[in-house]
């Protein structure tokens, strides 16, 4: 059985049990099978790569400034840990991130995308969460303190805009205010409607109260020039209806 061949002006061939396992070529060596290093390292000079695959699709190398893991063939570059996929890179496309083999998010031409029910967690205790479930989208604060939405720059405004209606609720699901598209504004007390606008003005459900007034403050005024005034003067204990317009 052959063990080694040394060919003049050519290759050196090494065999195991009569089967060729390694042979040299003009730019290095080619092996069949696997390599095992014990108590040692494999060193390559700068810009020389470890190539894997029949066409060298996967390359590992360093150029003296940076280190590279390069995939340049069919399929994707996939990184596994413990048998579960961790990262998948597609050529000229998305990079996918996994947790325990389940995809969580991926890059896109417009930025970073998360799959349905995959959340962005902010804060050490994950106090703030942002996600979509395929039907609705959510911004949820569930930790200590409050949730602030701020516009802090000079002369900046805060806009809350919807294509349809806007609802504000307290105590989880009690109505506090409703802003109806092309319709009413409704205000509530303890989930009971107390005030709403309509096409002709406004309507009050219950009692409308004013603090004690005077001839100049806390009045109900009627007319463009407030010609008619109604108020209660606490200093005199009188309720007054006052008309001050032209006779």
């Amino acid at each position: 059985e052959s063990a080694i061949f040394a060919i003049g002006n050519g290759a050196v061939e090494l065999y195991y049990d009569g089967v060729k396992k390694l042979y040299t070529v003009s730019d290095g060596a080619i092996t069949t099978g696997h390599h095992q290093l014990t108590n040692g390292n494999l060193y390559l000079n700068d810009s020389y790569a470890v190539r894997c695959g029949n066409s060298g699709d996967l390359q590992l190398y360093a150029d003296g400034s940076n280190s590279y893991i390069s995939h340049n063939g069919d399929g994707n570059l996939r990184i596994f840990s413990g048998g579960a996929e961790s990262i998948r890179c597609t050529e000229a496309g998305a990079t996918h991130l996994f947790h325990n083999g389940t995809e969580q998010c991926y890059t896109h031409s417009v930025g970073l995308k998360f799959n349905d029910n995959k959340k962005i967690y902010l804060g050490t205790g994950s106090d703030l969460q942002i996600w979509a479930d395929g039907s609705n989208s959510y911004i949820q604060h569930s930790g200590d303190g409050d949730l602030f939405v701020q516009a802090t720059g000079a002369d900046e405004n805060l806009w809350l805009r919807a294509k349809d209606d806007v609802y504000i609720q307290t105590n989880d699901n009690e109505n506090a205010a409703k802003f109806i598209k092309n319709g009413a504004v409704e205000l509530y007390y303890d989930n009971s409607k107390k005030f709403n606008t309509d096409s002709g003005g406004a309507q009050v459900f219950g009692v409308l109260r004013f603090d004690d007034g005077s001839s100049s403050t806390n009045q109900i005024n009627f007319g463009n020039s407030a010609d008619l005034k109604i108020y209660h003067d606490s200093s005199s204990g009188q309720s007054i209806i006052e008309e001050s317009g032209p006779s």
Side-chain angles (χ1 to χ4, degrees):
E1 291 184 354
S2 298
I4 182 171
F5 278 141
I7 303 171
N9 299 321
V12 173
E13 300 176 351
L14 300 180
Y15 291 76
Y16 176 84
D17 196 18
V19 177
K20 184 167 62 175
K21 295 297 183 181
L22 182 148
Y23 60 97
T24 60
V25 293
S26 60
D27 60 351
I30 297 176
T31 64
T32 301
H34 70 273
H35 292 276
Q36 181 175 341
L37 299 177
T38 59
N39 299 321
N41 300 297
L42 175 64
Y43 291 94
L44 298 177
N45 291 334
D46 287 344
S47 300
Y48 284 89
V50 175
R51 299 172 182 262
C52 302
N54 291 340
S55 300
D57 296 345
L58 178 63
Q59 301 180 27
L60 289 79
Y61 63 97
D63 63 6
S65 300
N66 302 288
S67 299
Y68 301 86
I69 300 174
S70 175
H71 170 78
N72 188 25
D74 296 333
N76 305 312
L77 174 61
R78 305 173 68 181
I79 300 175
F80 286 75
S81 177
E85 190 166 12
S86 299
I87 301 174
R88 183 190 305 163
C89 304
T90 57
E91 183 177 357
T95 297
H96 304 256
L97 299 180
F98 296 76
H99 177 78
N100 196 27
T102 300
E103 185 181 68
Q104 303 296 313
C105 64
Y106 58 95
T107 61
H108 191 273
S109 60
V110 300
L112 183 65
K113 287 193 173 184
F114 288 77
N115 295 327
D116 286 343
N117 294 306
K118 303 304 180 183
K119 300 180 179 181
I120 299 174
Y121 292 90
L122 301 174
T124 302
S126 301
D127 296 344
L128 180 61
Q129 301 177 22
I130 304 173
W131 79 98
D133 63 8
S135 299
N136 302 290
S137 300
Y138 303 86
I139 300 174
Q140 178 178 297
H141 171 77
S142 59
D144 296 333
D146 301 311
L147 174 63
F148 292 88
V149 180
Q150 296 177 308
T152 59
D155 300 322
E156 289 184 355
N157 301 315
L158 178 64
W159 293 76
L160 181 62
R161 181 177 293 173
K163 190 70 172 178
D164 204 350
D165 304 334
V166 175
Y167 299 88
I168 298 176
Q169 294 185 323
T170 60
N171 196 28
D172 287 336
N173 59 3
E174 290 186 358
N175 291 319
K178 292 182 180 180
F179 305 88
I180 310 301
K181 176 184 177 181
N182 298 326
V185 172
E186 301 178 356
L187 302 179
Y188 292 75
Y189 177 86
D190 196 19
N191 206 36
S192 176
K193 185 167 67 170
K194 298 301 180 182
F195 177 92
N196 71 254
T197 60
D198 58 33
S199 60
Q203 184 176 4
V204 175
F205 301 87
V207 178
L208 183 62
R209 294 185 177 89
F210 291 84
D211 290 339
D212 289 336
S214 67
S215 60
S216 60
T217 62
N218 297 338
Q219 307 164 350
I220 300 176
N221 294 333
F222 298 88
N224 291 342
S225 301
D227 296 338
L228 178 62
K229 303 176 182 179
I230 302 175
Y231 61 94
H232 178 77
D233 188 342
S234 60
S235 62
S236 65
Q238 297 177 337
S239 296
I240 300 171
I241 300 176
E242 178 182 313
E243 201 282 325
S244 60
S247 58

